[in-house]
Amino acid sequence: MMIPGEATIIANYLTIRSLNWLDTYQALIVPNLSTALGIFLMRQFFLTIPKDYYEAAAMDGASKFQFFIKVLLPLSRPAIGSLAIYSFLMTWNQYMWPLLVTNSDEMRTVQIGISMLQMAESQSFGLIMAGVVMIIIPSLVAFIVGQKQLIEGLGAGALKG
């Protein structure tokens, strides 16, 4: 988490290029599926779950997979929800990575499209502001839909009892 994304961007780019994923959806999606923050958040959340739950499930005859599906996943909904919202917002607002791995206009993201509306000769501020409002709408919808999960996820480890 202490290493900035700009320090690893060249290694990530070389990996994407070696997989022949340049200018594809995989290049935009796959590198953002796992982050240090996500791993740390989920690890810390799972450490708060008592071992007694696993022992009780084992005594009932549940396998490790059944314990994960039937006990851990329902308990970790707030953590998964807050991680999903955070990951979506961070990925949606990226500018540098999509600019680096996409070449065609069809694969460019909306943030790159807004920056392309700004030209040195003329700037249509009304068009740019309309585009910015359109970009903000999915972020607001994600936040409003997942607000309960986000608040529960942030407060899950804050209270004892």
Side-chain angles (χ1 to χ4, degrees), residues 17-75:
R17 189 183 71 184
S18 68
L19 292 171
N20 291 326
W21 283 0
L22 290 179
D23 211 24
T24 63
Y25 288 117
Q26 292 97 330
L28 295 172
I29 297 170
V30 171
N32 298 311
L33 289 179
S34 175
T35 61
L37 174 77
I39 293 169
F40 181 73
L41 176 74
M42 295 308 294
R43 178 188 180 276
Q44 290 303 109
F45 182 81
F46 287 139
L47 286 178
T48 64
I49 296 175
K51 291 183 181 179
D52 298 339
Y53 289 178
Y54 177 70
E55 292 169 358
M59 289 191 70
D60 286 342
S63 67
K64 289 182 180 182
F65 183 73
Q66 288 174 328
F67 172 71
F68 179 73
I69 295 295
K70 294 183 179 181
V71 178
L72 283 183
L73 278 182
L75 286 175

Side-chain angles (χ1 to χ4, degrees), residues 85 88-89 136-151:
I85 292 169
F88 171 75
L89 292 176
I136 290 173
I137 289 173
S139 298
L140 286 175
V141 168
F143 181 75
I144 290 169
V145 167
Q147 185 175 8
K148 179 183 175 190
Q149 295 295 330
L150 185 62
I151 292 170

Side-chain angles (χ1 to χ4, degrees), residues 103-123:
N103 296 322
S104 63
D105 289 339
E106 294 81 27
M107 294 302 297
R108 301 277 184 183
T109 60
V110 289
Q111 285 75 12
I112 297 170
I114 289 296
S115 69
M116 289 181 171
L117 290 175
Q118 299 174 358
M119 295 175 253
E121 300 84 33
S122 67
Q123 291 183 348

Side-chain angles (χ1 to χ4, degrees), residues 50 97-98 142:
W97 181 251

